[in-house]
Amino acid sequence: MAIRPSTRPADPAALWAAVRAAGGIDAFVNAQLVANGYAVERRESDGMSPRQIKQYKASLKAEAAERRRLAADAWTAYKATHIVHLGEGVYFNDADDFDRFDLPDPDARLAENACPRLDDPQALADALGLTVPTLRWLTYHREAATGLHYRRFTIPKRSGGERAIWAPLPTLKAAQRWILREIVEHLPVHGAAHGFVPGRGIVSNARPHTGARLLVNVDLKDFFPSVTLRRVKGVFRKAGYREQVATLLALLCTEAPREIVPHDGTDYFVALGPRCLPQGAPTSPALTNTLCQRLDRRLSGLARQRGWRYTRYADDLSFSLPPGTKGDGNVGTLLGAIRAICEAEGFALNPKKTRVCRPGGRQQITGLITNGDGPPRAPRALRRQLRAALHHLDTGQPLREGETLARLAGYAAFIHQTHPAEGADLLARLAEHAKAAP
């Protein structure tokens, strides 16, 4: 039989479709060997002439070479259309269709949440505008990596020290923004949550506590690091996504906390713990809101039962007694119950940031003053500081140490939320100085 060139599709997806249609890699390879004249009928070599034996061996060798090439092409097509493996410690099986953690009717849950249906990794890659190999590249986990999909920098904390920010690089950031817009922002959030929720913010968070008889502020310790890959994956499973897609979505939204370790002239990013929500990813705040639904529900119930009011802005929890309430509301008992609920929900309190604001003292929530009958407002001292800085700029004097135009603009935007006219004037004046800056 004359051997003719193999006619395999050049497109990996088309090639894998042909493999599947043939019934698998082995069946595809055998069919291609026959179709292209490489298949050799096995027979005894007794009675063959030396020339026939040489030709027989050459045919077997050509068949074996073509078999290896066909199998390699099929495996390449498989890797181009399947995830295969996601690194150390990450379970993934391309063959999984369902497991015991699937919801009874996941498609109905997706429709209820107005989330897109994503049946498999290819569907997710298509939705993100990526290839499957690129999706695998973005989600692959390494305990020690020479490169990451994040850029690390630090910003100063209000309490002193520096906060590490891990900002995703463009490809991953685009994927996270799609997940935020198309999935996470559609998931239910408790009414007590005000941080990073459309239509809510620091003002709506502080407003229920104005004029409080007593105010208690509590901070959750290591908030984002407490939300691990397993918990994020649970959010997507509960939303209606199956094992494979939920795993990939969770990996796209998490990264291990890492330390930079130089070795032999190369910097290694070494994982210090399990993957968790990075501070700097656009998906992190909104994921905590939907994950904290039960925490918010339990704390709201606790507050209501004891005559308190409750709101949460990210990791800041605020409780207040309404005006006119007598007594101290059993603050010690309340704090003990709050701690027990938070620990049961996988969070820990930061005792250094627990504040009890009693009558006569300044009451402040997410930077806003809530004393008295008026609405929440920016502190008077901050407003004076900003006007003084602008006076320095107007008169050609240097700014104080640590003050920059960008930071002053942030203060002005903060003031604008509670004092719109004053904030707009401050922002406009700062914009003029920014234009004139060299």
Side-chain angles (χ1 to χ4, degrees), residues 22 32 51 59 86 120 137 142 155 158 169 179 208 281 301 345 363 376 404 406 424:
Q32 287 290 302
R51 181 181 178 184
S59 297
L86 287 172
D120 52 36
W137 173 64
R142 289 180 174 85
I155 59 174
R158 285 186 299 177
L169 297 179
I179 294 170
E345 294 299 325
Q363 297 180 347
T404 64

Side-chain angles (χ1 to χ4, degrees), residues 160-197:
E162 293 185 331
R163 186 187 309 279
I165 303 296
W166 293 87
L169 297 179
T171 302
L172 178 60
K173 189 174 185 177
Q176 290 176 344
R177 282 179 168 168
W178 186 92
I179 294 170
L180 174 66
R181 182 178 65 253
E182 301 296 335
I183 299 176
V184 181
E185 287 185 343
H186 293 249
L187 302 180
V189 173
H190 194 274
H194 291 264
F196 311 99
V197 178

Side-chain angles (χ1 to χ4, degrees), residues 4 53 111 125 130 215 254 376:
R4 62 178 184 269
I53 290 175
L130 305 172
L215 175 66
T254 58

Side-chain angles (χ1 to χ4, degrees), residues 54 112 152 164 184 220 233 246 257 259 294 337 345 394 404:
K54 184 178 180 180
E112 177 185 333
R152 182 185 184 276
V184 181
L220 297 178
K233 181 177 174 180
E259 181 178 352
R294 191 167 66 178
E345 294 299 325
D394 291 340
T404 64

Side-chain angles (χ1 to χ4, degrees), residues 41-299:
E41 181 182 354
R42 269 54 175 177
R43 60 186 190 274
E44 294 293 336
S45 59
D46 294 345
M48 289 185 183
S49 67
R51 181 181 178 184
Q52 290 174 323
I53 290 175
K54 184 178 180 180
Q55 290 176 339
Y56 182 57
K57 288 182 177 179
S59 297
L60 291 174
K61 186 175 181 180
E63 181 195 62
E66 182 66 6
R67 181 182 294 278
R68 287 192 298 271
R69 190 164 58 141
L70 286 164
D73 286 351
W75 176 240
T76 298
Y78 182 88
K79 289 191 292 183
T81 53
H82 295 76
I83 294 298
V84 185
H85 181 55
L86 287 172
E88 182 180 352
V90 180
Y91 171 78
F92 196 89
N93 187 340
D94 282 308
D96 280 353
D97 292 324
F98 62 89
D99 65 16
R100 63 191 179 92
F101 295 108
D102 282 336
L103 298 177
D105 193 350
D107 291 339
R109 178 64 63 85
L110 289 173
E112 177 185 333
N113 291 327
C115 292
R117 178 174 173 175
L118 303 168
D119 291 332
D120 52 36
Q122 184 64 61
L124 175 59
D126 290 343
L128 295 174
L130 305 172
T131 64
V132 169
T134 301
L135 178 60
R136 180 171 57 244
W137 173 64
L138 290 174
T139 54
Y140 199 92
H141 175 75
R142 289 180 174 85
E143 289 295 305
T146 55
L148 293 179
H149 298 292
Y150 291 84
R151 179 176 62 89
R152 182 185 184 276
F153 61 93
T154 60
I155 59 174
K157 293 183 179 180
R158 285 186 299 177
S159 57
E162 293 185 331
R163 186 187 309 279
I165 303 296
W166 293 87
L169 297 179
T171 302
L172 178 60
K173 189 174 185 177
Q176 290 176 344
R177 282 179 168 168
W178 186 92
I179 294 170
L180 174 66
R181 182 178 65 253
E182 301 296 335
I183 299 176
V184 181
E185 287 185 343
H186 293 249
L187 302 180
V189 173
H190 194 274
H194 291 264
F196 311 99
V197 178
R200 306 180 200 173
I202 60 171
V203 177
S204 66
N205 179 65
R207 188 179 295 120
H209 305 285
T210 53
R213 172 76 176 78
L214 194 65
L215 175 66
V216 175
N217 289 320
V218 176
D219 183 83
L220 297 178
K221 185 178 181 181
D222 298 329
F223 187 48
F224 285 164
S226 298
V227 183
T228 59
L229 171 70
R230 180 181 61 84
R231 300 179 75 178
V232 176
K233 181 177 174 180
V235 169
F236 291 116
R237 295 304 303 267
K238 189 175 180 180
Y241 291 106
R242 301 184 190 275
E243 168 70 23
Q244 293 176 333
V245 171
T247 298
L248 292 167
L249 288 170
L251 287 166
L252 285 168
C253 296
T254 58
E255 179 53 85
R258 295 181 183 267
E259 181 178 352
I260 303 174
V261 178
H263 180 70
D264 287 344
T266 301
D267 286 341
Y268 289 88
F269 299 88
V270 179
L272 301 178
R275 293 177 74 100
C276 58
L277 293 180
Q279 187 151 348
T283 42
S284 293
L287 279 168
T288 61
N289 280 336
T290 189
L291 186 137
C292 285
Q293 269 191 100
R294 191 167 66 178
L295 172 71
D296 290 333
R297 186 166 61 247
R298 294 182 67 181
L299 290 177

